[in-house]
Structures are given as C-alpha cells and as structure tokens.
Amino acid sequence: MKLISIIDPGHRKDTPGKQDNGLYEYEFNDSVSKLLGTELSKYGEVCYTIETEKHPYDEMTAAGRNQNLNYRTSSANNIYWEAVKKYGKGNFKIVFISIHANAFSDPTVSGYEVFVYKHGSEAHRLAKSIHRQAQLVLGVGADIKDRGIKEANFAVLKNTIMPAVLIEHEFYTNPLAAKKLLDSTFRKKCSEHIVKGILDYTGITPAKEVEKIIYRVRKEWEDSKSQKGAYSVLENAINEAEKYEEYKVFDDEGKQVYPKAHHAQQYLDSLNLKGYNFIDTDFDKNVTLGEVYKILNKLTDK
C-alpha cells in the first residue's frame, strides 16, 4: 500500500506573536517537519503544504490569515486528488500532520495534546496511534502532562479531505517546556513518535536500522592488545592488516574474515567452542596428516 504523508509545518516566520522564552514557534515547527519528512520518505511520498519562510498572503490581516489557511488546505487536497489520478482511489494511504508548539497567557501551563475535527473518525484513529507513541517515546503522561486528544474546528482539520491531526508538542510560553522545545534530542523524539504512530495506523512495518559491523585488525581475536585498528569498512580493515605480518581481520563475533580461513580452521573453531582446545594447530597453512590425527585422537579421547 502506497503511503503519502502531507506535512503542514504550522505557522511561518511572518506569523505575529509566535515567540517566547527564546523560541520562535516557526523554527520549532520547521525543524520537526524536516526531521519528520526525512524519516517518512523511507516509507513513501512526502509533501509539504508550504515550504517558504513566509506565507503567500499578509498575516497581519484577518483576510490574509484566512487566505493562508485556504492555501495550505487546498495544497493538501490537491495532493490527494493527484494521488487519486495517479494510483486510483483506495490504492494508497494518505495522512495530514500539522506540527505546532502551544502558547498560553499563564506561563505555568504545559503539556502535549492532539487535535482532530471529530472523535470517532479516521483522523481520531490516527490520533490515537500517534498519542500512544507520544506516551512511549516522549513520556507523555509521565515526564510531560497529557492533555489528551481533543476536537477542534481548525481549518486544517475541518477542510482537508484526508485523515488530519494537529499536534501541540508543548507550550513555548512555559520556560521549562521551552527548554525541551529548543533541545535537538527532544525534537528528534517529536519526529520519531509521529512516524511510529503513522506506521501503527497504516500497518506498515518499520524499516530496520542497518547494524554496522566493526572489523578489528589483530594477530588473533583473543589478543586484543595487538589490535592495530577498528573499521566499519571491511576494505579499510584489510588494507591495515596487510601492512603487518601475521595480522588478520575479525568481525564483531571474532570470526576471521581476512585472510579467509581454511575451511578446516572454521571446523576447528567450532570444536574449540565446544571445549576441545586445539590451540596449537595452524590451519592458515597446509593441513598435515598429523594434525588430522591429532583431532581424531582428541575426539576419541572425549
């Protein structure tokens, strides 16, 4: 199933009054939106309702603000209809996420909340998935006050075709909360919980992080003091090993990956792990008949 994520980065730089405690809401919204877009691009198409620093219409007037809201909702709806033409109705999942930081006259007010147009809707189901991840990833309900999922008559929720949610991550008018909103680690978590919520909602399996193998250059795996370096790129480790006599490259589990061990050495390693302890047999060179007999005798003795 094709996923299309529409990200609405909240207010722009020209929205008046959206700053306090050293934080511009625009900057937070934009930062999290970009982080979110990068992660969601792993799963499908990502679109933005607006990508300019300022709105197309005058934010200082009521008429201009209404035009800007219409611009953002129309952008989202146009993306939906283009997807219908391209993929056919029912052949894609589409979501709308509006990113915000909250404000209130009382600086002690804080907390996280998600808004939808109507409870019981598809948007509400999306909101519940995101809210659940907010509890797990952001600590909402523990480290952050949980203000829940609420209904609101916001234009970006009411006038969009697809399931749409608006997320208020914290109150920048609260000095302690503003510190969180300014923190890059917290912003990454804001992005992370939304991604996980969308994946839960759509049933898409999260992409696994590629585990990096560290290759170590040593004489023997057990001889850590002989190590000449550790590399994430195998080729670099091999180049380092070739500078020294009798040096080898081992992976994270101690398996020799260069020079490629004799097939009998692999068998020997397996026996050693079982307790046979053939430490004086070198399978990097030709295997002698005597060495074969030595293994057979040891097995017989056992």
Side-chain angles (χ1 to χ4, degrees):
M1 179 66 73
K2 187 75 175 179
L3 174 63
I4 302 170
S5 303
I6 301 175
I7 301 172
D8 176 51
H11 305 287
R12 301 281 80 198
K13 203 170 186 177
D14 55 335
T15 303
K18 295 291 182 179
Q19 66 178 99
D20 202 357
N21 293 309
L23 174 71
Y24 284 84
E25 187 189 349
Y26 155 77
E27 195 273 327
F28 170 82
N29 297 347
D30 212 51
S31 173
V32 174
S33 294
K34 287 174 181 175
L35 290 169
L36 180 60
T38 298
E39 289 304 306
L40 286 174
S41 65
K42 298 174 183 178
Y43 302 96
E45 296 178 17
V46 174
C47 308
Y48 295 87
T49 58
I50 188 168
E51 296 187 75
T52 55
E53 279 193 348
K54 296 182 179 181
H55 289 97
Y57 303 100
D58 188 359
E59 277 283 289
M60 300 301 291
T61 67
R65 288 192 293 273
N66 284 332
Q67 285 177 300
N68 289 328
L69 286 171
N70 289 334
Y71 175 87
R72 286 156 58 195
T73 56
S74 295
S75 295
N77 291 338
N78 287 338
I79 292 166
Y80 171 82
W81 289 119
E82 285 299 316
V84 171
K85 289 180 186 177
K86 188 174 181 180
Y87 303 112
K89 201 168 185 179
N91 292 325
F92 61 92
K93 287 275 189 181
I94 187 166
V95 296
F96 176 100
I97 310 293
S98 191
I99 306 294
H100 290 263
N102 219 335
F104 196 67
S105 56
D106 182 350
T108 65
V109 173
S110 68
Y112 171 100
E113 55 195 346
V114 185
F115 290 94
V116 297
Y117 181 55
K118 289 291 182 185
H119 282 163
S121 61
E122 271 300 301
H124 188 217
R125 195 162 75 84
L126 170 61
K128 286 193 288 185
S129 293
I130 292 173
H131 180 261
R132 174 60 179 157
Q133 289 299 328
Q135 294 172 324
L136 298 173
V137 177
L138 290 176
V140 169
D143 301 327
I144 298 173
K145 183 178 179 180
D146 189 353
R147 298 171 63 89
I149 302 172
K150 300 177 180 179
E151 290 185 345
N153 195 34
F154 299 146
V156 293
L157 303 178
K158 180 181 178 181
N159 299 331
T160 42
I161 298 169
M162 67 295 299
V165 300
L166 186 149
I167 305 169
E168 297 279 10
H169 292 86
E170 253 291 9
F171 284 73
Y172 62 83
T173 46
N174 179 303
L176 293 177
K179 288 182 180 179
K180 292 179 183 177
L181 295 167
L182 285 163
D183 182 69
S184 60
T185 301
F186 181 77
R187 292 181 180 186
K188 286 181 182 178
K189 288 184 177 182
C190 290
S191 165
E192 180 187 341
H193 92 276
I194 298 170
V195 172
K196 289 184 174 181
I198 291 172
L199 297 183
D200 285 349
Y201 166 74
T202 57
I204 295 173
T205 303
K208 290 183 179 179
E209 290 289 331
V210 177
E211 294 184 7
K212 287 186 178 180
I213 298 174
I214 301 300
Y215 299 98
R216 292 169 173 82
V217 179
R218 299 177 181 178
K219 280 190 174 181
E220 297 297 337
W221 174 250
E222 296 79 8
D223 188 5
S224 60
K225 290 183 179 179
S226 70
Q227 183 165 303
K228 295 295 185 181
Y231 302 85
S232 59
V233 179
L234 177 58
E235 184 180 355
N236 294 341
I238 291 172
N239 289 339
E240 182 68 12
E242 288 178 341
K243 295 177 183 177
Y244 310 95
E245 286 188 15
E246 299 182 353
Y247 268 78
K248 304 158 189 167
V249 179
F250 301 89
D251 66 12
D252 288 333
E253 296 178 352
K255 180 181 177 182
Q256 183 179 320
V257 295
Y258 180 82
K260 191 171 182 181
H262 190 286
H263 66 275
Q265 179 72 53
Q266 297 172 12
Y267 178 63
L268 180 67
D269 290 342
S270 177
L271 289 173
N272 283 337
L273 288 172
K274 295 176 182 177
Y276 290 100
N277 197 29
F278 297 117
I279 59 174
D280 57 345
T281 305
D282 185 0
F283 281 114
D284 284 338
K285 300 175 182 177
N286 290 332
V287 183
T288 67
L289 186 59
E291 288 172 327
V292 174
Y293 283 144
K294 188 184 294 185
I295 291 176
L296 292 173
N297 286 336
K298 284 280 188 179
L299 287 172
T300 304
D301 290 344
K302 287 280 182 171

